[in-house]
Amino acid sequence: MWTTIAVIAVLLLYFVAIYNGLIARKNQVREAWATVDTQLKRRYDLIPNLVETVRGAAKHESETLAAVTNARADAMSASGPTSADMQNKLTQTLKSLFAVAENYPDLKANQNYLELQRELTDTENKIQATRQFYNTVVMGLNTQIEQFPSNIIANMFGIKPEKMFEIEDAEKTAPKITF
């Protein structure tokens, strides 16, 4: 009888350990996304300043400036990890903005512009690092959800795999540079 109770207790503790591990990983995913979200907000806050600085030097580039502003608004309205497409669109329009700025020597020499560009580049690097961290913790959760016996416990409690943050195909190809 004591053996049966001991076996049941061990199995129960094992079940609890697996469940707690799944919950811990799920919370890590949430925390990782919150970190990405924080960096994205920093990016959103910098963009209007950058657009205004470029607007002052390149008044006739309104189409590019409007595209950046619209992409920022779209990205801000998207929520959660599923907003990856909007974030990728914003990244592409920012690249266009920097390409426009390259055509204006006065702008490239403007200290405000240079500082904003540095801040945005730093933010983009931080976003990349936080996306990588997010994908790492998502991979850990998804792997545990797929492995036996934690897959049984995950199914019992409705713990689902999370989506990785992926870039669009357009960002995977290197830009062409011609001289």
Side-chain angles (χ1 to χ4, degrees):
M1 170 144 155
W2 289 108
T3 307
T4 305
I5 292 173
V7 168
I8 291 172
V10 167
L11 289 175
L12 184 61
L13 287 173
Y14 185 65
F15 174 86
V16 168
I18 290 175
Y19 176 78
N20 287 341
L22 286 167
I23 296 303
R25 286 188 185 266
K26 191 174 176 183
N27 288 334
Q28 283 179 329
V29 168
R30 286 185 187 142
E31 187 272 334
W33 179 253
T35 304
V36 171
D37 210 28
T38 300
Q39 292 304 322
L40 293 175
K41 177 163 180 2
R42 183 173 184 229
R43 174 204 256 177
Y44 301 150
D45 293 344
L46 287 170
I47 289 171
N49 296 329
L50 185 65
V51 167
E52 285 305 313
T53 303
V54 173
R55 182 176 282 138
K59 294 183 188 335
H60 63 281
E61 298 289 353
S62 59
E63 187 177 308
T64 301
L65 298 173
V68 170
T69 303
N70 291 338
R72 175 185 178 263
D74 291 345
M76 286 179 67
S77 65
S79 63
T82 57
S83 69
D85 293 339
M86 292 298 134
Q87 301 304 328
N88 292 333
K89 179 181 172 188
L90 179 56
T91 299
Q92 290 299 340
T93 58
L94 285 172
K95 288 178 183 177
S96 299
L97 181 65
F98 287 132
V100 164
E102 288 295 315
N103 294 325
Y104 296 90
D106 292 341
L107 178 61
K108 289 191 321 187
N110 179 305
Q111 192 60 37
N112 289 337
Y113 173 77
L114 292 174
E115 183 58 31
L116 285 167
Q117 188 176 23
R118 250 190 309 278
E119 284 289 322
L120 197 54
T121 300
D122 180 53
T123 300
E124 292 296 322
N125 291 337
K126 288 177 181 177
I127 289 170
Q128 179 59 32
T130 57
R131 284 177 180 171
Q132 184 177 359
F133 178 70
Y134 171 80
N135 282 345
T136 299
V137 296
V138 166
M139 183 188 66
L141 173 67
N142 292 349
T143 300
Q144 188 171 3
I145 287 173
E146 293 175 9
Q147 291 176 332
F148 179 82
S150 57
N151 62 343
I152 296 168
I153 296 168
N155 286 333
M156 285 174 56
F157 290 98
I159 299 172
K160 304 285 184 210
E162 295 287 336
K163 184 180 178 200
M164 297 278 230
F165 201 112
E166 298 176 357
I167 60 171
E168 292 179 351
D169 288 337
E171 285 189 67
K172 292 179 183 177
T173 57
K176 288 188 176 183
I177 299 173
T178 56
F179 296 99

